[in-house]
Amino acid sequence: MTTKDRQIERRWEQLHVWGPYGLLGLSVVLAVAATGLHNRSVKWYLGWTLVGAAAVLQLWWHGTRSRRPGRGRIPSRAGTVYYVVRWALAFVLSWLNPFFAFYAASGYMDADELIPGRWQRLGLLASAVTVAGAQTGGMPLGSGVQWILFPPLLIANSGLQMVVAHLQEQETRRYHERGETITELERTNAALQQALDENAALHAQLLVQAREAGVADERRRLAAEIHDTIAQGLTGIIAQLQVVANTPDPGAARVHLGRASELARQSLGEARRSVHNLAPVALEHDGLPEALKKTVADWARRTGIRADFTLTGTAEHLHDEISATLLRIAQEALSNASRHARAARLGVTLSFMGDEVTLDVRDDGRGFDPAAVPERTGSGGFGLDGMRARAERIAGSLTLESEPGLGTAVSARVPLVRHDR
């Protein structure tokens, strides 16, 4: 219920409580003005007695109503008794003086609150009889004019109060319907607020999960970068130092020490760029074909294994992420070949084919059974799983073909995304 509705409700309540007092007072003033205060007839004494009784009746009902908070508008037996007694007093007073018809008209205001159900019409009709009789000049009806005027006045009063009663019923019905609508809206709003609270909690949970997923993804990226750069560089340095330790030739030792120093510098640069998520050192000044060609040549020089690089198709300037991913996959494949393949020859092919780029790394080593590859442990490298994860991260794929004694072929296929201009 709105503030304005409550104000209207309070005013109606005040009218129903104080209206009969006002109408009774108005009737007394008009009756005294018409007859004077010096009339000491029986009717005069009877009238004042009935006025006193009416005042006592109003005070009684006022007290009874105030003891029924929240139920003053609900018809009750006490309310019906009050209405009937008040009507009887008003009828007799109107018989004594027609001006008391104003007091009798108070029955029009509260019949719906005092009389239950179908008896309301009868109560309203009784009040209309009293008012119509007073309008004809007062009861009893003595002249023919009064008898002629009484029926149309009764019909007019009855019709008027019936229309008012009907409008009040409709207003009461609308009032209850509006209350039910407001109650339903409050329930809906409560449910909506609960849904919004749940949605906000879910949103906060999703943000936490997204942040955790981002942290986990960044950790995987850094782990892969470290494995593909620093770990491989350190492995190469160790291999060069082992050669130095085992060779008596100072010249050869200096050559391998120089290679170890070069690998250390490259690994340091890769570490710095991995932290800042920049492109690999090999791609800093060269495109992917040139970087792969140099990477394959350096690997062949370090390992002593014959390695060739082949470019097919028309080379294009690829997106940095595509170039970095393919280079890392090639580095991992070369690292695996040097550790496990025992190959005599290796070939790396980069193919530009329309909307795809393919990287193939093939060796003639001892091969293996892909189904028998053990799961990666904490001390091992990222290997095939890492290469496959890198390819899938940029909507690509990686396939492996190998058999014991027949070498190994690794093929990465990724979409051709050109460098941003």
Side-chain angles (χ1 to χ4, degrees), residues 129-182:
V129 168
T130 303
V131 173
Q135 290 171 342
T136 61
M139 294 185 179
L141 303 178
S143 66
V145 175
Q146 286 183 304
W147 283 105
I148 294 173
L149 292 177
F150 180 76
L153 288 174
L154 178 61
I155 294 174
N157 281 277
S158 299
L160 178 62
Q161 55 87 11
M162 292 297 178
V163 170
V164 173
H166 178 69
L167 292 177
Q168 286 180 341
E169 288 179 1
Q170 288 186 333
E171 181 63 24
T172 302
R173 188 181 302 110
R174 283 196 297 268
Y175 175 82
H176 290 300
E177 291 176 353
R178 184 168 54 185
E180 293 175 356
T181 302
I182 292 175

Side-chain angles (χ1 to χ4, degrees), residues 36-336:
L37 292 174
H38 304 290
N39 186 351
R40 293 294 187 268
S41 64
V42 176
K43 292 175 60 176
W44 189 87
Y45 287 107
L46 178 61
W48 282 109
T49 302
L50 294 177
V51 168
V56 171
L57 176 67
Q58 293 302 139
L59 291 174
W60 170 78
W61 175 243
H62 194 167
T64 303
R65 183 187 183 94
S66 63
R67 290 193 297 271
R68 302 173 67 244
R71 296 188 296 167
R73 297 188 61 136
I74 301 176
S76 63
R77 181 175 298 178
T80 302
V81 171
Y82 161 71
Y83 188 92
V84 171
V85 174
R86 186 184 66 186
W87 172 84
L89 290 172
F91 182 82
V92 176
L93 285 169
S94 299
W95 194 291
L96 298 176
N97 192 304
F99 283 113
F100 281 97
F102 287 103
Y103 182 52
S106 60
Y108 291 165
M109 296 189 305
D110 51 13
D112 59 325
E113 294 186 4
L114 301 175
I115 304 176
R118 64 177 183 271
W119 298 105
Q120 292 179 10
R121 304 294 184 184
L122 182 59
L124 290 171
L125 178 61
S127 296
V129 168
T130 303
V131 173
Q135 290 171 342
T136 61
M139 294 185 179
L141 303 178
S143 66
V145 175
Q146 286 183 304
W147 283 105
I148 294 173
L149 292 177
F150 180 76
L153 288 174
L154 178 61
I155 294 174
N157 281 277
S158 299
L160 178 62
Q161 55 87 11
M162 292 297 178
V163 170
V164 173
H166 178 69
L167 292 177
Q168 286 180 341
E169 288 179 1
Q170 288 186 333
E171 181 63 24
T172 302
R173 188 181 302 110
R174 283 196 297 268
Y175 175 82
H176 290 300
E177 291 176 353
R178 184 168 54 185
E180 293 175 356
T181 302
I182 292 175
T183 302
E184 183 63 27
L185 286 175
E186 290 176 349
R187 286 197 296 265
T188 303
N189 288 336
L192 180 59
Q193 185 61 45
Q194 182 180 0
L196 289 175
D197 294 340
E198 293 176 354
N199 189 30
L202 179 60
H203 180 67
Q205 182 179 359
L206 289 176
L207 288 178
V208 172
Q209 292 177 351
R211 185 163 52 250
E212 293 176 349
V215 171
D217 186 68
E218 184 65 13
R219 287 175 177 173
R220 287 192 296 269
R221 182 191 71 80
L222 288 175
E225 292 290 334
I226 291 172
H227 170 265
D228 291 343
T229 57
I230 301 175
Q232 292 183 15
L234 292 175
T235 300
I237 292 171
I238 292 172
Q240 298 300 324
L241 293 177
Q242 286 177 345
V243 173
V244 172
N246 295 326
T247 181
D249 184 358
R254 283 193 296 273
V255 172
H256 288 288
L257 284 174
R259 292 177 180 174
S261 298
E262 182 182 356
L263 285 173
R265 285 192 294 271
Q266 292 178 357
S267 297
L268 179 59
E270 290 290 355
R272 290 171 177 169
R273 284 160 175 77
S274 295
V275 170
H276 295 287
N277 196 24
L278 300 177
V281 174
L283 293 172
E284 187 172 2
H285 303 291
D286 297 323
L288 179 60
E290 294 79 8
L292 282 175
K293 184 177 181 179
K294 292 179 180 180
T295 299
V296 172
D298 291 342
W299 181 85
R301 187 171 62 254
R302 290 197 310 268
T303 61
I305 300 173
R306 178 182 174 184
D308 301 311
F309 171 74
T310 304
L311 173 65
T312 63
T314 302
E316 298 194 43
H317 195 184
L318 298 174
H319 189 278
D320 293 343
E321 186 68 20
I322 302 295
S323 298
T325 298
L326 291 176
L327 180 60
R328 295 305 190 203
I329 291 175
Q331 290 173 336
E332 177 66 19
L334 293 173
S335 177
N336 290 341

